[in-house]
Amino acid sequence: MTPETIEAYGVRLRLDRLTDVSDTAAACADPVTQRFLPGLPDPYTEESARWWITEGAPAAWATGGAAYAIADPATDRLLGAAGLSHPVAERGQAEIGYWVAPWARRRGVATAAVRALAEAAFAAGTVRLELLAHEENTASQRVALAAGFRHEGVRRSAGRSRDGRHDLAVWVRLADDPPGPTARLLPDLPEGRLTDGVVTLRRVAPADADALYRLHARPEVVANRVPPVPPTRASIERRCRLAESRWLAGQSADLAILDAATGTVAGGCALMYDEPATGQAMLGYSMLPEARGRGLATRAVGLVAAWAFDIGLARLWAGTRPENVASQRVLTKTGFQREGLLRGRLPGPDGTRVDSLIFGLLPGDRTT
Ligand SMILES: CC(C)(COP(=O)(O)OP(=O)(O)OC[C@H]1O[C@@H](n2cnc3c(N)ncnc32)[C@H](O)[C@@H]1OP(=O)(O)O)[C@@H](O)C(=O)NCCC(=O)NCCS
């Protein structure tokens, strides 16, 4: 059992009090809290807060978990909540959960509370702490990274929100893991973008769905997809919504290529971190027809390659269909070298297999 009060990292974890009712009600009625904690009553009223303080929180303790208010140590005012739930004693496992009131966000309160509570839980015998976040809850996954949790995978359809089921991202910290922050395979871009004044690249966002659907539904782009079938609009929307989560998990850096002069989307470029153990990632790109023929793809690939080597990758690779001369030109102009032909590597149309020409780039090869 964790102690009744924990004071560490600039926050105080203490038991809930009836004087917290109005702050709890205001924080739990906040739309972001409601969206990502779908188990909360909706609407959340002062009555709901009173129930939590007098019945909900004591019940969490009684079943082997913990329920704390996060308070400002100077004023004791409520800043949020943090707790342990779903304890599995025989596995030394529990789940950590939290919310921070809108008036206390973006100043490290959640990170401090999660660190403090994780350490108390480990001291009390927990070995494995799970942190399960809605797959689109990137603020919470950033807290996980800051507090030393590592991405373990996705629990498919394990979450239920007011508008249906969704996947949960699984982040885990073990008792003997370092306290964090967890090193990221794919850090954020410096100031959120890469640019040479002609093209700008930034993380794909939900608002890019129209442009990226138009791009990926084009026949000559579909021909390079694996398998070569047109995407659904829903799959492109999902890809845009999950771009930040997949970046945080170190899986892919999905980038929109913008015309720097107009800010409009000119194409897309993705770095798939397919082999972290050997420091290798795959690069893919495509341009909208109106943006082709101006050297923008070559510039974009050059910028991404420079960033990739800056963050520690050792080698980039790309594959093209043997007849895709335009794409091969982009690669060779950036310094990629042709390394070989992999026969029948990819699924082709109608059950066939197609060959793939493989190109590789080492840091010393770069020409842009
Ligand atoms: C998720 C939540 C608890 C974060 O609380 P917080 O106190 O603002 O978090 P912190 O200040 O400790 O921020 C931790 C990291 O996340 C980043 N972050 C926090 N909110 C962010 C946001 N809305 N957008 C982007 N980054 C964000 C911070 O910049 C910080 O990054 P750094 O470590 O690289 O500096 C808060 O937004 C919240 O209560 N959300 C609703 C409830 C919820 O989602 N609970 C978790 C369910 S799994």
Side-chain angles (χ1 to χ4, degrees), residues 33 36-37 98-100 105-111 132 137 139-140 142-143 146:
T33 315
F36 290 126
L37 294 174
Y98 44 88
W99 53 258
V100 170
R105 288 183 188 153
R106 302 302 297 263
R107 47 184 173 93
V109 169
T111 303
L132 304 178
N137 193 352
S140 186
R142 286 179 184 275
V143 171

mmCIF file with all atom_site columns, all heavy atoms in Angstrom, residues 33 36-37 98-100 105-111 132 137 139-140 142-143 146, ligand 1:
data_model
loop_
_atom_site.group_PDB
_atom_site.id
_atom_site.type_symbol
_atom_site.label_atom_id
_atom_site.label_alt_id
_atom_site.label_comp_id
_atom_site.label_asym_id
_atom_site.label_entity_id
_atom_site.label_seq_id
_atom_site.pdbx_PDB_ins_code
_atom_site.Cartn_x
_atom_site.Cartn_y
_atom_site.Cartn_z
_atom_site.occupancy
_atom_site.B_iso_or_equiv
_atom_site.pdbx_formal_charge
_atom_site.auth_seq_id
_atom_site.auth_comp_id
_atom_site.auth_asym_id
_atom_site.auth_atom_id
_atom_site.pdbx_PDB_model_num
ATOM   1   N N   . THR A 1 33  ? -10.784 16.467 -20.376 1.00 0.00 ? 33  THR A N   1
ATOM   2   C CA  . THR A 1 33  ? -10.859 15.426 -19.339 1.00 0.00 ? 33  THR A CA  1
ATOM   3   C C   . THR A 1 33  ? -11.982 14.442 -19.698 1.00 0.00 ? 33  THR A C   1
ATOM   4   O O   . THR A 1 33  ? -11.802 13.220 -19.634 1.00 0.00 ? 33  THR A O   1
ATOM   5   C CB  . THR A 1 33  ? -11.151 16.050 -17.952 1.00 0.00 ? 33  THR A CB  1
ATOM   6   O OG1 . THR A 1 33  ? -10.315 17.184 -17.778 1.00 0.00 ? 33  THR A OG1 1
ATOM   7   C CG2 . THR A 1 33  ? -10.908 15.065 -16.838 1.00 0.00 ? 33  THR A CG2 1
ATOM   8   N N   . PHE A 1 36  ? -11.003 12.057 -22.662 1.00 0.00 ? 36  PHE A N   1
ATOM   9   C CA  . PHE A 1 36  ? -10.002 11.009 -22.471 1.00 0.00 ? 36  PHE A CA  1
ATOM   10  C C   . PHE A 1 36  ? -10.224 10.171 -21.216 1.00 0.00 ? 36  PHE A C   1
ATOM   11  O O   . PHE A 1 36  ? -9.488  9.210  -20.986 1.00 0.00 ? 36  PHE A O   1
ATOM   12  C CB  . PHE A 1 36  ? -8.601  11.612 -22.495 1.00 0.00 ? 36  PHE A CB  1
ATOM   13  C CG  . PHE A 1 36  ? -8.235  12.084 -23.894 1.00 0.00 ? 36  PHE A CG  1
ATOM   14  C CD1 . PHE A 1 36  ? -7.823  13.376 -24.118 1.00 0.00 ? 36  PHE A CD1 1
ATOM   15  C CD2 . PHE A 1 36  ? -8.338  11.215 -24.965 1.00 0.00 ? 36  PHE A CD2 1
ATOM   16  C CE1 . PHE A 1 36  ? -7.498  13.805 -25.399 1.00 0.00 ? 36  PHE A CE1 1
ATOM   17  C CE2 . PHE A 1 36  ? -8.027  11.620 -26.257 1.00 0.00 ? 36  PHE A CE2 1
ATOM   18  C CZ  . PHE A 1 36  ? -7.602  12.925 -26.481 1.00 0.00 ? 36  PHE A CZ  1
ATOM   19  N N   . LEU A 1 37  ? -11.194 10.534 -20.393 1.00 0.00 ? 37  LEU A N   1
ATOM   20  C CA  . LEU A 1 37  ? -11.554 9.688  -19.254 1.00 0.00 ? 37  LEU A CA  1
ATOM   21  C C   . LEU A 1 37  ? -13.043 9.376  -19.377 1.00 0.00 ? 37  LEU A C   1
ATOM   22  O O   . LEU A 1 37  ? -13.876 9.919  -18.641 1.00 0.00 ? 37  LEU A O   1
ATOM   23  C CB  . LEU A 1 37  ? -11.214 10.385 -17.930 1.00 0.00 ? 37  LEU A CB  1
ATOM   24  C CG  . LEU A 1 37  ? -9.709  10.608 -17.698 1.00 0.00 ? 37  LEU A CG  1
ATOM   25  C CD1 . LEU A 1 37  ? -9.455  11.420 -16.443 1.00 0.00 ? 37  LEU A CD1 1
ATOM   26  C CD2 . LEU A 1 37  ? -8.954  9.288  -17.608 1.00 0.00 ? 37  LEU A CD2 1
ATOM   27  N N   . TYR A 1 98  ? -4.502  9.405  -14.305 1.00 0.00 ? 98  TYR A N   1
ATOM   28  C CA  . TYR A 1 98  ? -4.366  10.781 -13.789 1.00 0.00 ? 98  TYR A CA  1
ATOM   29  C C   . TYR A 1 98  ? -5.157  11.761 -14.640 1.00 0.00 ? 98  TYR A C   1
ATOM   30  O O   . TYR A 1 98  ? -5.496  11.478 -15.799 1.00 0.00 ? 98  TYR A O   1
ATOM   31  C CB  . TYR A 1 98  ? -2.887  11.214 -13.783 1.00 0.00 ? 98  TYR A CB  1
ATOM   32  C CG  . TYR A 1 98  ? -2.152  10.842 -15.048 1.00 0.00 ? 98  TYR A CG  1
ATOM   33  C CD1 . TYR A 1 98  ? -2.143  11.678 -16.143 1.00 0.00 ? 98  TYR A CD1 1
ATOM   34  C CD2 . TYR A 1 98  ? -1.512  9.599  -15.150 1.00 0.00 ? 98  TYR A CD2 1
ATOM   35  C CE1 . TYR A 1 98  ? -1.515  11.312 -17.325 1.00 0.00 ? 98  TYR A CE1 1
ATOM   36  C CE2 . TYR A 1 98  ? -0.881  9.223  -16.328 1.00 0.00 ? 98  TYR A CE2 1
ATOM   37  C CZ  . TYR A 1 98  ? -0.887  10.080 -17.409 1.00 0.00 ? 98  TYR A CZ  1
ATOM   38  O OH  . TYR A 1 98  ? -0.288  9.719  -18.575 1.00 0.00 ? 98  TYR A OH  1
ATOM   39  N N   . TRP A 1 99  ? -5.476  12.894 -14.051 1.00 0.00 ? 99  TRP A N   1
ATOM   40  C CA  . TRP A 1 99  ? -5.913  14.059 -14.813 1.00 0.00 ? 99  TRP A CA  1
ATOM   41  C C   . TRP A 1 99  ? -5.373  15.290 -14.120 1.00 0.00 ? 99  TRP A C   1
ATOM   42  O O   . TRP A 1 99  ? -5.074  15.259 -12.926 1.00 0.00 ? 99  TRP A O   1
ATOM   43  C CB  . TRP A 1 99  ? -7.436  14.139 -14.992 1.00 0.00 ? 99  TRP A CB  1
ATOM   44  C CG  . TRP A 1 99  ? -8.289  14.044 -13.747 1.00 0.00 ? 99  TRP A CG  1
ATOM   45  C CD1 . TRP A 1 99  ? -8.972  12.945 -13.315 1.00 0.00 ? 99  TRP A CD1 1
ATOM   46  C CD2 . TRP A 1 99  ? -8.575  15.087 -12.786 1.00 0.00 ? 99  TRP A CD2 1
ATOM   47  N NE1 . TRP A 1 99  ? -9.646  13.226 -12.149 1.00 0.00 ? 99  TRP A NE1 1
ATOM   48  C CE2 . TRP A 1 99  ? -9.429  14.537 -11.813 1.00 0.00 ? 99  TRP A CE2 1
ATOM   49  C CE3 . TRP A 1 99  ? -8.200  16.434 -12.666 1.00 0.00 ? 99  TRP A CE3 1
ATOM   50  C CZ2 . TRP A 1 99  ? -9.906  15.280 -10.722 1.00 0.00 ? 99  TRP A CZ2 1
ATOM   51  C CZ3 . TRP A 1 99  ? -8.671  17.167 -11.581 1.00 0.00 ? 99  TRP A CZ3 1
ATOM   52  C CH2 . TRP A 1 99  ? -9.515  16.583 -10.630 1.00 0.00 ? 99  TRP A CH2 1
ATOM   53  N N   . VAL A 1 100 ? -5.176  16.351 -14.914 1.00 0.00 ? 100 VAL A N   1
ATOM   54  C CA  . VAL A 1 100 ? -4.725  17.626 -14.354 1.00 0.00 ? 100 VAL A CA  1
ATOM   55  C C   . VAL A 1 100 ? -5.776  18.670 -14.715 1.00 0.00 ? 100 VAL A C   1
ATOM   56  O O   . VAL A 1 100 ? -6.285  18.677 -15.847 1.00 0.00 ? 100 VAL A O   1
ATOM   57  C CB  . VAL A 1 100 ? -3.326  18.006 -14.894 1.00 0.00 ? 100 VAL A CB  1
ATOM   58  C CG1 . VAL A 1 100 ? -2.951  19.436 -14.526 1.00 0.00 ? 100 VAL A CG1 1
ATOM   59  C CG2 . VAL A 1 100 ? -2.275  17.039 -14.328 1.00 0.00 ? 100 VAL A CG2 1
ATOM   60  N N   . ARG A 1 105 ? -2.412  22.861 -16.259 1.00 0.00 ? 105 ARG A N   1
ATOM   61  C CA  . ARG A 1 105 ? -1.749  22.060 -17.302 1.00 0.00 ? 105 ARG A CA  1
ATOM   62  C C   . ARG A 1 105 ? -0.520  22.748 -17.881 1.00 0.00 ? 105 ARG A C   1
ATOM   63  O O   . ARG A 1 105 ? -0.339  23.935 -17.722 1.00 0.00 ? 105 ARG A O   1
ATOM   64  C CB  . ARG A 1 105 ? -2.754  21.765 -18.444 1.00 0.00 ? 105 ARG A CB  1
ATOM   65  C CG  . ARG A 1 105 ? -3.795  20.760 -18.016 1.00 0.00 ? 105 ARG A CG  1
ATOM   66  C CD  . ARG A 1 105 ? -4.762  20.388 -19.133 1.00 0.00 ? 105 ARG A CD  1
ATOM   67  N NE  . ARG A 1 105 ? -5.834  19.575 -18.542 1.00 0.00 ? 105 ARG A NE  1
ATOM   68  C CZ  . ARG A 1 105 ? -7.069  19.473 -19.007 1.00 0.00 ? 105 ARG A CZ  1
ATOM   69  N NH1 . ARG A 1 105 ? -7.408  20.114 -20.115 1.00 0.00 ? 105 ARG A NH1 1
ATOM   70  N NH2 . ARG A 1 105 ? -7.962  18.716 -18.391 1.00 0.00 ? 105 ARG A NH2 1
ATOM   71  N N   . ARG A 1 106 ? 0.285   21.962 -18.558 1.00 0.00 ? 106 ARG A N   1
ATOM   72  C CA  . ARG A 1 106 ? 1.473   22.408 -19.298 1.00 0.00 ? 106 ARG A CA  1
ATOM   73  C C   . ARG A 1 106 ? 2.536   23.019 -18.391 1.00 0.00 ? 106 ARG A C   1
ATOM   74  O O   . ARG A 1 106 ? 3.281   23.878 -18.813 1.00 0.00 ? 106 ARG A O   1
ATOM   75  C CB  . ARG A 1 106 ? 1.110   23.408 -20.413 1.00 0.00 ? 106 ARG A CB  1
ATOM   76  C CG  . ARG A 1 106 ? 0.111   22.902 -21.449 1.00 0.00 ? 106 ARG A CG  1
ATOM   77  C CD  . ARG A 1 106 ? 0.552   21.654 -22.159 1.00 0.00 ? 106 ARG A CD  1
ATOM   78  N NE  . ARG A 1 106 ? 1.739   21.778 -22.954 1.00 0.00 ? 106 ARG A NE  1
ATOM   79  C CZ  . ARG A 1 106 ? 1.773   21.983 -24.268 1.00 0.00 ? 106 ARG A CZ  1
ATOM   80  N NH1 . ARG A 1 106 ? 0.650   22.096 -24.923 1.00 0.00 ? 106 ARG A NH1 1
ATOM   81  N NH2 . ARG A 1 106 ? 2.905   22.039 -24.917 1.00 0.00 ? 106 ARG A NH2 1
ATOM   82  N N   . ARG A 1 107 ? 2.569   22.598 -17.108 1.00 0.00 ? 107 ARG A N   1
ATOM   83  C CA  . ARG A 1 107 ? 3.699   23.027 -16.276 1.00 0.00 ? 107 ARG A CA  1
ATOM   84  C C   . ARG A 1 107 ? 4.275   21.877 -15.454 1.00 0.00 ? 107 ARG A C   1
ATOM   85  O O   . ARG A 1 107 ? 4.789   22.055 -14.370 1.00 0.00 ? 107 ARG A O   1
ATOM   86  C CB  . ARG A 1 107 ? 3.367   24.248 -15.433 1.00 0.00 ? 107 ARG A CB  1
ATOM   87  C CG  . ARG A 1 107 ? 2.059   24.234 -14.689 1.00 0.00 ? 107 ARG A CG  1
ATOM   88  C CD  . ARG A 1 107 ? 1.891   25.603 -13.993 1.00 0.00 ? 107 ARG A CD  1
ATOM   89  N NE  . ARG A 1 107 ? 0.593   25.799 -13.374 1.00 0.00 ? 107 ARG A NE  1
ATOM   90  C CZ  . ARG A 1 107 ? 0.323   25.528 -12.116 1.00 0.00 ? 107 ARG A CZ  1
ATOM   91  N NH1 . ARG A 1 107 ? 1.255   25.031 -11.336 1.00 0.00 ? 107 ARG A NH1 1
ATOM   92  N NH2 . ARG A 1 107 ? -0.891  25.751 -11.636 1.00 0.00 ? 107 ARG A NH2 1
ATOM   93  N N   . GLY A 1 108 ? 4.171   20.677 -16.003 1.00 0.00 ? 108 GLY A N   1
ATOM   94  C CA  . GLY A 1 108 ? 4.870   19.550 -15.410 1.00 0.00 ? 108 GLY A CA  1
ATOM   95  C C   . GLY A 1 108 ? 4.174   18.877 -14.239 1.00 0.00 ? 108 GLY A C   1
ATOM   96  O O   . GLY A 1 108 ? 4.757   18.006 -13.591 1.00 0.00 ? 108 GLY A O   1
ATOM   97  N N   . VAL A 1 109 ? 2.911   19.252 -13.980 1.00 0.00 ? 109 VAL A N   1
ATOM   98  C CA  . VAL A 1 109 ? 2.208   18.681 -12.817 1.00 0.00 ? 109 VAL A CA  1
ATOM   99  C C   . VAL A 1 109 ? 1.988   17.179 -13.003 1.00 0.00 ? 109 VAL A C   1
ATOM   100 O O   . VAL A 1 109 ? 2.270   16.374 -12.101 1.00 0.00 ? 109 VAL A O   1
ATOM   101 C CB  . VAL A 1 109 ? 0.867   19.420 -12.582 1.00 0.00 ? 109 VAL A CB  1
ATOM   102 C CG1 . VAL A 1 109 ? 0.009   18.681 -11.564 1.00 0.00 ? 109 VAL A CG1 1
ATOM   103 C CG2 . VAL A 1 109 ? 1.125   20.855 -12.130 1.00 0.00 ? 109 VAL A CG2 1
ATOM   104 N N   . ALA A 1 110 ? 1.507   16.785 -14.196 1.00 0.00 ? 110 ALA A N   1
ATOM   105 C CA  . ALA A 1 110 ? 1.241   15.356 -14.406 1.00 0.00 ? 110 ALA A CA  1
ATOM   106 C C   . ALA A 1 110 ? 2.547   14.560 -14.324 1.00 0.00 ? 110 ALA A C   1
ATOM   107 O O   . ALA A 1 110 ? 2.599   13.504 -13.688 1.00 0.00 ? 110 ALA A O   1
ATOM   108 C CB  . ALA A 1 110 ? 0.570   15.132 -15.757 1.00 0.00 ? 110 ALA A CB  1
ATOM   109 N N   . THR A 1 111 ? 3.591   15.064 -14.961 1.00 0.00 ? 111 THR A N   1
ATOM   110 C CA  . THR A 1 111 ? 4.875   14.352 -14.934 1.00 0.00 ? 111 THR A CA  1
ATOM   111 C C   . THR A 1 111 ? 5.351   14.164 -13.496 1.00 0.00 ? 111 THR A C   1
ATOM   112 O O   . THR A 1 111 ? 5.770   13.069 -13.098 1.00 0.00 ? 111 THR A O   1
ATOM   113 C CB  . THR A 1 111 ? 5.921   15.139 -15.750 1.00 0.00 ? 111 THR A CB  1
ATOM   114 O OG1 . THR A 1 111 ? 5.413   15.309 -17.070 1.00 0.00 ? 111 THR A OG1 1
ATOM   115 C CG2 . THR A 1 111 ? 7.246   14.421 -15.795 1.00 0.00 ? 111 THR A CG2 1
ATOM   116 N N   . LEU A 1 132 ? -2.266  3.226  -19.691 1.00 0.00 ? 132 LEU A N   1
ATOM   117 C CA  . LEU A 1 132 ? -3.032  2.978  -20.916 1.00 0.00 ? 132 LEU A CA  1
ATOM   118 C C   . LEU A 1 132 ? -3.677  4.282  -21.355 1.00 0.00 ? 132 LEU A C   1
ATOM   119 O O   . LEU A 1 132 ? -4.453  4.879  -20.607 1.00 0.00 ? 132 LEU A O   1
ATOM   120 C CB  . LEU A 1 132 ? -4.113  1.923  -20.658 1.00 0.00 ? 132 LEU A CB  1
ATOM   121 C CG  . LEU A 1 132 ? -3.613  0.582  -20.094 1.00 0.00 ? 132 LEU A CG  1
ATOM   122 C CD1 . LEU A 1 132 ? -4.783  -0.360 -19.838 1.00 0.00 ? 132 LEU A CD1 1
ATOM   123 C CD2 . LEU A 1 132 ? -2.625  -0.067 -21.050 1.00 0.00 ? 132 LEU A CD2 1
ATOM   124 N N   . ASN A 1 137 ? -4.455  10.360 -27.475 1.00 0.00 ? 137 ASN A N   1
ATOM   125 C CA  . ASN A 1 137 ? -4.139  11.231 -26.331 1.00 0.00 ? 137 ASN A CA  1
ATOM   126 C C   . ASN A 1 137 ? -2.625  11.456 -26.258 1.00 0.00 ? 137 ASN A C   1
ATOM   127 O O   . ASN A 1 137 ? -1.909  10.840 -25.466 1.00 0.00 ? 137 ASN A O   1
ATOM   128 C CB  . ASN A 1 137 ? -4.670  10.609 -25.040 1.00 0.00 ? 137 ASN A CB  1
ATOM   129 C CG  . ASN A 1 137 ? -4.644  11.602 -23.885 1.00 0.00 ? 137 ASN A CG  1
ATOM   130 O OD1 . ASN A 1 137 ? -4.090  12.704 -24.017 1.00 0.00 ? 137 ASN A OD1 1
ATOM   131 N ND2 . ASN A 1 137 ? -5.228  11.219 -22.767 1.00 0.00 ? 137 ASN A ND2 1
ATOM   132 N N   . ALA A 1 139 ? -0.955  14.162 -25.334 1.00 0.00 ? 139 ALA A N   1
ATOM   133 C CA  . ALA A 1 139 ? -0.469  14.844 -24.126 1.00 0.00 ? 139 ALA A CA  1
ATOM   134 C C   . ALA A 1 139 ? -0.149  13.797 -23.054 1.00 0.00 ? 139 ALA A C   1
ATOM   135 O O   . ALA A 1 139 ? 0.898   13.851 -22.406 1.00 0.00 ? 139 ALA A O   1
ATOM   136 C CB  . ALA A 1 139 ? -1.514  15.837 -23.618 1.00 0.00 ? 139 ALA A CB  1
ATOM   137 N N   . SER A 1 140 ? -1.031  12.818 -22.903 1.00 0.00 ? 140 SER A N   1
ATOM   138 C CA  . SER A 1 140 ? -0.810  11.791 -21.886 1.00 0.00 ? 140 SER A CA  1
ATOM   139 C C   . SER A 1 140 ? 0.387   10.906 -22.243 1.00 0.00 ? 140 SER A C   1
ATOM   140 O O   . SER A 1 140 ? 1.172   10.504 -21.363 1.00 0.00 ? 140 SER A O   1
ATOM   141 C CB  . SER A 1 140 ? -2.075  10.943 -21.743 1.00 0.00 ? 140 SER A CB  1
ATOM   142 O OG  . SER A 1 140 ? -1.935  10.053 -20.684 1.00 0.00 ? 140 SER A OG  1
ATOM   143 N N   . ARG A 1 142 ? 2.950   11.892 -23.841 1.00 0.00 ? 142 ARG A N   1
ATOM   144 C CA  . ARG A 1 142 ? 4.148   12.696 -23.551 1.00 0.00 ? 142 ARG A CA  1
ATOM   145 C C   . ARG A 1 142 ? 4.460   12.656 -22.051 1.00 0.00 ? 142 ARG A C   1
ATOM   146 O O   . ARG A 1 142 ? 5.624   12.667 -21.646 1.00 0.00 ? 142 ARG A O   1
ATOM   147 C CB  . ARG A 1 142 ? 3.960   14.133 -24.042 1.00 0.00 ? 142 ARG A CB  1
ATOM   148 C CG  . ARG A 1 142 ? 4.056   14.237 -25.550 1.00 0.00 ? 142 ARG A CG  1
ATOM   149 C CD  . ARG A 1 142 ? 3.835   15.661 -26.032 1.00 0.00 ? 142 ARG A CD  1
ATOM   150 N NE  . ARG A 1 142 ? 3.836   15.729 -27.481 1.00 0.00 ? 142 ARG A NE  1
ATOM   151 C CZ  . ARG A 1 142 ? 4.926   15.848 -28.250 1.00 0.00 ? 142 ARG A CZ  1
ATOM   152 N NH1 . ARG A 1 142 ? 6.116   15.966 -27.686 1.00 0.00 ? 142 ARG A NH1 1
ATOM   153 N NH2 . ARG A 1 142 ? 4.840   15.879 -29.550 1.00 0.00 ? 142 ARG A NH2 1
ATOM   154 N N   . VAL A 1 143 ? 3.418   12.610 -21.223 1.00 0.00 ? 143 VAL A N   1
ATOM   155 C CA  . VAL A 1 143 ? 3.640   12.439 -19.779 1.00 0.00 ? 143 VAL A CA  1
ATOM   156 C C   . VAL A 1 143 ? 4.323   11.089 -19.544 1.00 0.00 ? 143 VAL A C   1
ATOM   157 O O   . VAL A 1 143 ? 5.293   10.979 -18.777 1.00 0.00 ? 143 VAL A O   1
ATOM   158 C CB  . VAL A 1 143 ? 2.300   12.511 -19.003 1.00 0.00 ? 143 VAL A CB  1
ATOM   159 C CG1 . VAL A 1 143 ? 2.492   12.114 -17.542 1.00 0.00 ? 143 VAL A CG1 1
ATOM   160 C CG2 . VAL A 1 143 ? 1.674   13.903 -19.120 1.00 0.00 ? 143 VAL A CG2 1
ATOM   161 N N   . ALA A 1 146 ? 7.916   11.356 -20.394 1.00 0.00 ? 146 ALA A N   1
ATOM   162 C CA  . ALA A 1 146 ? 8.631   12.208 -19.437 1.00 0.00 ? 146 ALA A CA  1
ATOM   163 C C   . ALA A 1 146 ? 8.859   11.469 -18.119 1.00 0.00 ? 146 ALA A C   1
ATOM   164 O O   . ALA A 1 146 ? 9.846   11.723 -17.421 1.00 0.00 ? 146 ALA A O   1
ATOM   165 C CB  . ALA A 1 146 ? 7.852   13.501 -19.207 1.00 0.00 ? 146 ALA A CB  1
HETATM 166 C C1  . LIG B 2 .   ? -2.662  14.521 -20.003 1.00 0.00 ? 1   LIG B C1  1
HETATM 167 C C2  . LIG B 2 .   ? -2.609  15.583 -18.874 1.00 0.00 ? 1   LIG B C2  1
HETATM 168 C C3  . LIG B 2 .   ? -2.762  14.853 -17.555 1.00 0.00 ? 1   LIG B C3  1
HETATM 169 C C4  . LIG B 2 .   ? -1.236  16.295 -18.957 1.00 0.00 ? 1   LIG B C4  1
HETATM 170 O O1  . LIG B 2 .   ? -1.078  17.106 -17.805 1.00 0.00 ? 1   LIG B O1  1
HETATM 171 P P1  . LIG B 2 .   ? 0.047   18.245 -17.691 1.00 0.00 ? 1   LIG B P1  1
HETATM 172 O O2  . LIG B 2 .   ? 0.279   18.514 -16.243 1.00 0.00 ? 1   LIG B O2  1
HETATM 173 O O3  . LIG B 2 .   ? -0.320  19.367 -18.580 1.00 0.00 ? 1   LIG B O3  1
HETATM 174 O O4  . LIG B 2 .   ? 1.352   17.491 -18.294 1.00 0.00 ? 1   LIG B O4  1
HETATM 175 P P2  . LIG B 2 .   ? 2.888   17.969 -18.128 1.00 0.00 ? 1   LIG B P2  1
HETATM 176 O O5  . LIG B 2 .   ? 2.927   19.456 -17.933 1.00 0.00 ? 1   LIG B O5  1
HETATM 177 O O6  . LIG B 2 .   ? 3.542   17.102 -17.096 1.00 0.00 ? 1   LIG B O6  1
HETATM 178 O O7  . LIG B 2 .   ? 3.477   17.637 -19.561 1.00 0.00 ? 1   LIG B O7  1
HETATM 179 C C5  . LIG B 2 .   ? 4.271   16.492 -19.884 1.00 0.00 ? 1   LIG B C5  1
HETATM 180 C C6  . LIG B 2 .   ? 4.755   16.607 -21.307 1.00 0.00 ? 1   LIG B C6  1
HETATM 181 O O8  . LIG B 2 .   ? 3.610   16.622 -22.184 1.00 0.00 ? 1   LIG B O8  1
HETATM 182 C C7  . LIG B 2 .   ? 3.603   17.792 -22.999 1.00 0.00 ? 1   LIG B C7  1
HETATM 183 N N1  . LIG B 2 .   ? 2.206   18.173 -23.143 1.00 0.00 ? 1   LIG B N1  1
HETATM 184 C C8  . LIG B 2 .   ? 1.282   18.295 -22.172 1.00 0.00 ? 1   LIG B C8  1
HETATM 185 N N2  . LIG B 2 .   ? 0.105   18.669 -22.704 1.00 0.00 ? 1   LIG B N2  1
HETATM 186 C C9  . LIG B 2 .   ? 0.295   18.778 -24.027 1.00 0.00 ? 1   LIG B C9  1
HETATM 187 C C10 . LIG B 2 .   ? -0.549  19.123 -25.097 1.00 0.00 ? 1   LIG B C10 1
HETATM 188 N N3  . LIG B 2 .   ? -1.862  19.433 -24.907 1.00 0.00 ? 1   LIG B N3  1
HETATM 189 N N4  . LIG B 2 .   ? -0.014  19.136 -26.342 1.00 0.00 ? 1   LIG B N4  1
HETATM 190 C C11 . LIG B 2 .   ? 1.296   18.823 -26.537 1.00 0.00 ? 1   LIG B C11 1
HETATM 191 N N5  . LIG B 2 .   ? 2.143   18.492 -25.537 1.00 0.00 ? 1   LIG B N5  1
HETATM 192 C C12 . LIG B 2 .   ? 1.632   18.452 -24.298 1.00 0.00 ? 1   LIG B C12 1
HETATM 193 C C13 . LIG B 2 .   ? 4.425   18.790 -22.204 1.00 0.00 ? 1   LIG B C13 1
HETATM 194 O O9  . LIG B 2 .   ? 4.966   19.794 -23.028 1.00 0.00 ? 1   LIG B O9  1
HETATM 195 C C14 . LIG B 2 .   ? 5.501   17.901 -21.587 1.00 0.00 ? 1   LIG B C14 1
HETATM 196 O O10 . LIG B 2 .   ? 6.458   17.590 -22.602 1.00 0.00 ? 1   LIG B O10 1
HETATM 197 P P3  . LIG B 2 .   ? 8.025   17.538 -22.279 1.00 0.00 ? 1   LIG B P3  1
HETATM 198 O O11 . LIG B 2 .   ? 8.212   16.455 -21.265 1.00 0.00 ? 1   LIG B O11 1
HETATM 199 O O12 . LIG B 2 .   ? 8.631   17.205 -23.603 1.00 0.00 ? 1   LIG B O12 1
HETATM 200 O O13 . LIG B 2 .   ? 8.357   18.901 -21.757 1.00 0.00 ? 1   LIG B O13 1
HETATM 201 C C15 . LIG B 2 .   ? -3.721  16.651 -19.027 1.00 0.00 ? 1   LIG B C15 1
HETATM 202 O O14 . LIG B 2 .   ? -3.695  17.189 -20.342 1.00 0.00 ? 1   LIG B O14 1
HETATM 203 C C16 . LIG B 2 .   ? -5.108  16.115 -18.760 1.00 0.00 ? 1   LIG B C16 1
HETATM 204 O O15 . LIG B 2 .   ? -5.577  16.137 -17.635 1.00 0.00 ? 1   LIG B O15 1
HETATM 205 N N6  . LIG B 2 .   ? -5.801  15.596 -19.807 1.00 0.00 ? 1   LIG B N6  1
HETATM 206 C C17 . LIG B 2 .   ? -7.147  15.025 -19.626 1.00 0.00 ? 1   LIG B C17 1
HETATM 207 C C18 . LIG B 2 .   ? -7.154  13.717 -18.811 1.00 0.00 ? 1   LIG B C18 1
HETATM 208 C C19 . LIG B 2 .   ? -6.196  12.682 -19.369 1.00 0.00 ? 1   LIG B C19 1
HETATM 209 O O16 . LIG B 2 .   ? -5.947  12.618 -20.562 1.00 0.00 ? 1   LIG B O16 1
HETATM 210 N N7  . LIG B 2 .   ? -5.660  11.839 -18.476 1.00 0.00 ? 1   LIG B N7  1
HETATM 211 C C20 . LIG B 2 .   ? -4.773  10.762 -18.872 1.00 0.00 ? 1   LIG B C20 1
HETATM 212 C C21 . LIG B 2 .   ? -5.545  9.598  -19.340 1.00 0.00 ? 1   LIG B C21 1
HETATM 213 S S1  . LIG B 2 .   ? -4.495  8.312  -19.920 1.00 0.00 ? 1   LIG B S1  1
#
